[in-house]
Structures are given as C-alpha cells and as structure tokens.
Amino acid sequence: MSRIPPLTRILVPAALALAIVPAAFAQDGGADKRVSIVGGYSMVEPTRNPEIAGARTGFDGEGTATLGVTYHITDNWGIEAWAADSYGQRVNAGGAKLGSVDAQPYSISGQYRFGTPESTVRPFVGLGYHETNYDSETPTAAGQRVGIETAKGAVATVGMDVNITPTWFARADARYFQSDSDVRIDGVKAGDAKLDPVVVGVGIGARF
C-alpha cells in the first residue's frame, strides 16, 4: 500500500482554515477566534481480533503523536481535520508474533461544543469520516507478500476542552473508528482486517 507522509492530510485543511480567518475577522471585528490547533499524544487500541488465512489474530495497540485543526463555524459548531503520525502494530496469533504493520489514520469530522467560549470546561461530540493507510507489512514466514488495503469508515468522537487562558486550553478525547479493510496474501484475499480501534488521547491547544 502507498505511504502517506506523516501528517500530510492535516496540512491542507489547516492551510484552508487559516486562509478563511482574515475574512471571518473582517466580518466580526476580530473578536472571535475561529481556528484552534491541538497537538497531542494518543493510544490506539484495536477492539477486534480478525481472522486471517484461517487463523485468529491480534493486533497490538500503540502510542502515537497527533495533530488536529478545527475551524469553528460558530461558537458551538465546527469542522475538525485530524491525523496521527504513523505507528507500528505487532500482529500475533496463538501467542506468537506473525509480523508487523505500520498504520496512519486521518479524519474529518463535524463537531458540536456545549457551553460558550467563556466556559471553563467545554465538552464536545463529533461524527465524521476516516481513512487509515497501512504499509511496511511484514512478509509471512514462507516469504509470501502481505498487503492490507486502506481502511475507510465512520469515526465518532467525544472529548472535553479545559480553558487555561483565552488562547490556551487542554484537551482529553476518545475516538472510535469503524474500520474494515481486505488483507491479501500474494494478491489473494485472505481475510478482513476489521479492527475498529479506540483512540484515547490528551493534548494542548491554542486558538487564533
């Protein structure tokens, strides 16, 4: 599978969001901060153990750096572009390591924030679409070529921002990725990598 450069998918939405800011400020006199950026760290943990080539497998969880950019359409509604850096996952079966694979998820979601910008604590929920790119798959012990296709599906988010200053805030969130993709060995389908991972993270953000 082709590799997406780390965080590439977040940079274009971020640039577009920042390009919108001058127009938004011109309209409201600059009183509102419409763009927020959050850097963080998340743990990714699959919730399913797929069957591949007749064997029940388990994909280990892993930690990774994340970056999110949100354009706040109103004080309550926003659009978030989010991506994680590439992380490795060990693949096990019967207590033994079968191989490993690298994964990189990215998503875009609509979000709703409760409360007002002046609230100290602002819970939020989101729903959107994600893709997870896989590469660096380890060949089988017999030297067969393994490929995992890009996973696509829905993503649901719950989280909370805690305001530190009018600019800076802390965040904790959890994301559930509905994730399903074909696993192929030497080009022949051998199973479904239906992992449905949960991603739990913390971060620090700033508003502009």
PDB file of all heavy atoms in Angstrom, residues 35-49:
ATOM      1  N   VAL A  35     -10.122  29.548  14.679  1.00  0.00           N
ATOM      2  CA  VAL A  35      -9.290  28.387  14.379  1.00  0.00           C
ATOM      3  C   VAL A  35      -8.579  27.931  15.645  1.00  0.00           C
ATOM      4  O   VAL A  35      -8.020  28.744  16.386  1.00  0.00           O
ATOM      5  CB  VAL A  35      -8.245  28.709  13.292  1.00  0.00           C
ATOM      6  CG1 VAL A  35      -7.301  27.530  13.073  1.00  0.00           C
ATOM      7  CG2 VAL A  35      -8.935  29.064  11.991  1.00  0.00           C
ATOM      8  N   SER A  36      -8.621  26.623  15.905  1.00  0.00           N
ATOM      9  CA  SER A  36      -7.855  26.061  17.019  1.00  0.00           C
ATOM     10  C   SER A  36      -6.997  24.913  16.506  1.00  0.00           C
ATOM     11  O   SER A  36      -7.396  24.171  15.602  1.00  0.00           O
ATOM     12  CB  SER A  36      -8.773  25.583  18.146  1.00  0.00           C
ATOM     13  OG  SER A  36      -9.649  24.561  17.709  1.00  0.00           O
ATOM     14  N   ILE A  37      -5.810  24.793  17.077  1.00  0.00           N
ATOM     15  CA  ILE A  37      -4.857  23.741  16.709  1.00  0.00           C
ATOM     16  C   ILE A  37      -4.464  22.993  17.975  1.00  0.00           C
ATOM     17  O   ILE A  37      -4.146  23.615  18.993  1.00  0.00           O
ATOM     18  CB  ILE A  37      -3.611  24.320  16.019  1.00  0.00           C
ATOM     19  CG1 ILE A  37      -4.008  25.061  14.730  1.00  0.00           C
ATOM     20  CG2 ILE A  37      -2.603  23.213  15.701  1.00  0.00           C
ATOM     21  CD1 ILE A  37      -2.841  25.730  14.033  1.00  0.00           C
ATOM     22  N   VAL A  38      -4.504  21.659  17.921  1.00  0.00           N
ATOM     23  CA  VAL A  38      -4.180  20.833  19.088  1.00  0.00           C
ATOM     24  C   VAL A  38      -3.109  19.818  18.711  1.00  0.00           C
ATOM     25  O   VAL A  38      -3.260  19.063  17.741  1.00  0.00           O
ATOM     26  CB  VAL A  38      -5.428  20.085  19.606  1.00  0.00           C
ATOM     27  CG1 VAL A  38      -5.046  19.199  20.797  1.00  0.00           C
ATOM     28  CG2 VAL A  38      -6.511  21.067  20.005  1.00  0.00           C
ATOM     29  N   GLY A  39      -2.017  19.811  19.465  1.00  0.00           N
ATOM     30  CA  GLY A  39      -1.002  18.770  19.352  1.00  0.00           C
ATOM     31  C   GLY A  39      -1.121  17.851  20.548  1.00  0.00           C
ATOM     32  O   GLY A  39      -1.311  18.315  21.677  1.00  0.00           O
ATOM     33  N   GLY A  40      -1.028  16.556  20.321  1.00  0.00           N
ATOM     34  CA  GLY A  40      -1.237  15.644  21.437  1.00  0.00           C
ATOM     35  C   GLY A  40      -0.576  14.298  21.251  1.00  0.00           C
ATOM     36  O   GLY A  40       0.228  14.076  20.334  1.00  0.00           O
ATOM     37  N   TYR A  41      -0.954  13.392  22.136  1.00  0.00           N
ATOM     38  CA  TYR A  41      -0.440  12.019  22.099  1.00  0.00           C
ATOM     39  C   TYR A  41      -1.602  11.092  22.408  1.00  0.00           C
ATOM     40  O   TYR A  41      -2.378  11.350  23.338  1.00  0.00           O
ATOM     41  CB  TYR A  41       0.666  11.830  23.131  1.00  0.00           C
ATOM     42  CG  TYR A  41       1.352  10.487  23.033  1.00  0.00           C
ATOM     43  CD1 TYR A  41       2.382  10.285  22.118  1.00  0.00           C
ATOM     44  CD2 TYR A  41       0.965   9.413  23.844  1.00  0.00           C
ATOM     45  CE1 TYR A  41       3.019   9.057  22.015  1.00  0.00           C
ATOM     46  CE2 TYR A  41       1.598   8.187  23.747  1.00  0.00           C
ATOM     47  CZ  TYR A  41       2.626   8.014  22.832  1.00  0.00           C
ATOM     48  OH  TYR A  41       3.255   6.789  22.732  1.00  0.00           O
ATOM     49  N   SER A  42      -1.734  10.019  21.621  1.00  0.00           N
ATOM     50  CA  SER A  42      -2.867   9.107  21.768  1.00  0.00           C
ATOM     51  C   SER A  42      -2.410   7.662  21.804  1.00  0.00           C
ATOM     52  O   SER A  42      -1.381   7.298  21.224  1.00  0.00           O
ATOM     53  CB  SER A  42      -3.854   9.287  20.603  1.00  0.00           C
ATOM     54  OG  SER A  42      -4.449  10.563  20.622  1.00  0.00           O
ATOM     55  N   MET A  43      -3.203   6.838  22.477  1.00  0.00           N
ATOM     56  CA  MET A  43      -3.015   5.396  22.458  1.00  0.00           C
ATOM     57  C   MET A  43      -4.088   4.782  21.561  1.00  0.00           C
ATOM     58  O   MET A  43      -5.271   5.083  21.713  1.00  0.00           O
ATOM     59  CB  MET A  43      -3.119   4.808  23.865  1.00  0.00           C
ATOM     60  CG  MET A  43      -1.961   5.187  24.772  1.00  0.00           C
ATOM     61  SD  MET A  43      -0.353   4.595  24.173  1.00  0.00           S
ATOM     62  CE  MET A  43      -0.631   2.817  24.156  1.00  0.00           C
ATOM     63  N   VAL A  44      -3.649   3.944  20.632  1.00  0.00           N
ATOM     64  CA  VAL A  44      -4.557   3.279  19.701  1.00  0.00           C
ATOM     65  C   VAL A  44      -4.693   1.822  20.125  1.00  0.00           C
ATOM     66  O   VAL A  44      -3.692   1.109  20.240  1.00  0.00           O
ATOM     67  CB  VAL A  44      -4.023   3.353  18.256  1.00  0.00           C
ATOM     68  CG1 VAL A  44      -5.013   2.732  17.286  1.00  0.00           C
ATOM     69  CG2 VAL A  44      -3.709   4.792  17.874  1.00  0.00           C
ATOM     70  N   GLU A  45      -5.930   1.372  20.346  1.00  0.00           N
ATOM     71  CA  GLU A  45      -6.152   0.002  20.805  1.00  0.00           C
ATOM     72  C   GLU A  45      -7.267  -0.645  19.972  1.00  0.00           C
ATOM     73  O   GLU A  45      -8.426  -0.255  20.061  1.00  0.00           O
ATOM     74  CB  GLU A  45      -6.545  -0.012  22.280  1.00  0.00           C
ATOM     75  CG  GLU A  45      -6.586  -1.404  22.886  1.00  0.00           C
ATOM     76  CD  GLU A  45      -5.213  -2.068  22.928  1.00  0.00           C
ATOM     77  OE1 GLU A  45      -4.217  -1.383  23.251  1.00  0.00           O
ATOM     78  OE2 GLU A  45      -5.140  -3.278  22.621  1.00  0.00           O
ATOM     79  N   PRO A  46      -6.933  -1.647  19.118  1.00  0.00           N
ATOM     80  CA  PRO A  46      -7.978  -2.351  18.364  1.00  0.00           C
ATOM     81  C   PRO A  46      -8.951  -3.043  19.317  1.00  0.00           C
ATOM     82  O   PRO A  46      -8.566  -3.537  20.378  1.00  0.00           O
ATOM     83  CB  PRO A  46      -7.193  -3.371  17.539  1.00  0.00           C
ATOM     84  CG  PRO A  46      -5.810  -2.790  17.425  1.00  0.00           C
ATOM     85  CD  PRO A  46      -5.584  -2.094  18.734  1.00  0.00           C
ATOM     86  N   THR A  47     -10.223  -3.091  18.920  1.00  0.00           N
ATOM     87  CA  THR A  47     -11.245  -3.741  19.746  1.00  0.00           C
ATOM     88  C   THR A  47     -11.672  -5.086  19.172  1.00  0.00           C
ATOM     89  O   THR A  47     -12.489  -5.778  19.782  1.00  0.00           O
ATOM     90  CB  THR A  47     -12.488  -2.845  19.879  1.00  0.00           C
ATOM     91  OG1 THR A  47     -13.071  -2.636  18.583  1.00  0.00           O
ATOM     92  CG2 THR A  47     -12.117  -1.505  20.497  1.00  0.00           C
ATOM     93  N   ARG A  48     -11.136  -5.470  18.010  1.00  0.00           N
ATOM     94  CA  ARG A  48     -11.498  -6.751  17.399  1.00  0.00           C
ATOM     95  C   ARG A  48     -10.252  -7.539  17.031  1.00  0.00           C
ATOM     96  O   ARG A  48      -9.177  -6.972  16.825  1.00  0.00           O
ATOM     97  CB  ARG A  48     -12.357  -6.533  16.147  1.00  0.00           C
ATOM     98  CG  ARG A  48     -13.737  -5.964  16.436  1.00  0.00           C
ATOM     99  CD  ARG A  48     -14.503  -5.763  15.145  1.00  0.00           C
ATOM    100  NE  ARG A  48     -15.845  -5.248  15.384  1.00  0.00           N
ATOM    101  CZ  ARG A  48     -16.924  -6.007  15.504  1.00  0.00           C
ATOM    102  NH1 ARG A  48     -16.823  -7.328  15.408  1.00  0.00           N
ATOM    103  NH2 ARG A  48     -18.112  -5.462  15.725  1.00  0.00           N
ATOM    104  N   ASN A  49     -10.393  -8.854  16.955  1.00  0.00           N
ATOM    105  CA  ASN A  49      -9.311  -9.763  16.583  1.00  0.00           C
ATOM    106  C   ASN A  49      -9.710 -10.484  15.292  1.00  0.00           C
ATOM    107  O   ASN A  49     -10.434 -11.484  15.325  1.00  0.00           O
ATOM    108  CB  ASN A  49      -9.047 -10.786  17.687  1.00  0.00           C
ATOM    109  CG  ASN A  49      -8.660 -10.134  18.994  1.00  0.00           C
ATOM    110  OD1 ASN A  49      -7.795  -9.265  19.027  1.00  0.00           O
ATOM    111  ND2 ASN A  49      -9.306 -10.531  20.071  1.00  0.00           N
TER     112      ASN A  49
END
